[in-house]
Amino acid sequence: MEREAKFMQEAIRLSRKGMENGDGGPFGCVVVKGEEIVGRGWNRVTSTNDPTAHAEVVAIRDACANMGTFQLEGCEVYTSCEPCPMCLGAIYWARPAKLYYANTRFDAAEAGFDDAFIYEELPLRAEDRKIATTCLCREDALPVFREWQLKMDRKDY
């Protein structure tokens, strides 16, 4: 695990760098392909006023831009903390081969970053969630999905 620890140390270094720069919370991430770091990110939520600028999302965007692809096939993600639900979703969409994390979500909660409420909301029916959620204009939106299914030059993902 010496190789993996080296990459995790870089993710941890980025978590400290972002925190010390005032970019956002103490979270860092690297994406690795083979022996090379192809993407780096640290939390930039408060410095960019972007609630999606978590370290993992920033690193995924960086890696995909650097590699010219929208998926991280054959890559590994090293993140300084267990991913929140949003980041875990982004990681699954990116389809890397492996995910490594250092701090747990419980460590994050203890440090003031508590995502427990999101985990509690996910299994609920949409209408039972805390944010009012309503399905609207489905009949108008479904034809677009049908057109996508028939599109001969679509790029599946």
Side-chain angles (χ1 to χ4, degrees):
M1 292 301 247
E2 192 173 306
R3 173 189 171 278
E4 290 83 1
K6 174 183 79 169
F7 292 125
M8 185 59 76
Q9 288 301 319
E10 177 62 7
I12 294 167
R13 186 188 74 75
L14 291 173
S15 74
R16 179 173 282 114
K17 173 186 174 181
M19 177 188 67
E20 289 175 350
N21 287 348
D23 292 334
F27 303 95
C29 182
V30 295
V31 177
V32 175
K33 178 110 180 181
E35 297 302 316
E36 179 186 358
I37 294 176
V38 294
R40 287 179 166 80
W42 56 89
N43 186 289
R44 296 181 183 176
V45 169
T46 58
S47 61
T48 62
N49 294 319
D50 179 354
T52 68
H54 289 201
E56 296 90 339
V57 173
V58 173
I60 288 168
R61 289 174 180 162
D62 187 46
C64 289
N66 290 335
M67 295 190 325
T69 183
F70 59 87
Q71 293 190 329
L72 301 177
E73 186 176 323
C75 292
E76 300 167 341
V77 174
Y78 294 81
T79 181
S80 66
C81 187
E82 183 177 356
C84 74
M86 177 187 71
C87 292
L88 189 59
I91 290 165
Y92 269 85
W93 278 117
R95 293 178 173 83
K98 289 187 176 182
L99 167 64
Y100 298 92
Y101 65 89
N103 290 316
T104 69
R105 65 183 180 176
F106 305 106
D107 297 329
E110 202 169 296
F113 300 94
D114 192 0
D115 300 331
F117 76 98
I118 299 172
Y119 287 101
E120 292 165 5
E121 289 283 295
L122 288 174
L124 299 177
R125 295 178 317 146
E127 55 272 11
D128 294 333
R129 295 181 182 150
K130 289 187 172 99
I131 295 177
T133 305
T134 304
C135 183
L136 184 65
C137 297
R138 181 172 178 251
E139 314 77 37
D140 298 321
L142 274 175
V144 181
F145 275 174
R146 289 190 193 105
E147 290 170 31
W148 169 258
Q149 290 172 308
L150 298 173
K151 188 172 171 45
M152 299 305 288
D153 63 342
R154 75 177 188 239
K155 192 165 190 174
D156 291 322
Y157 58 96

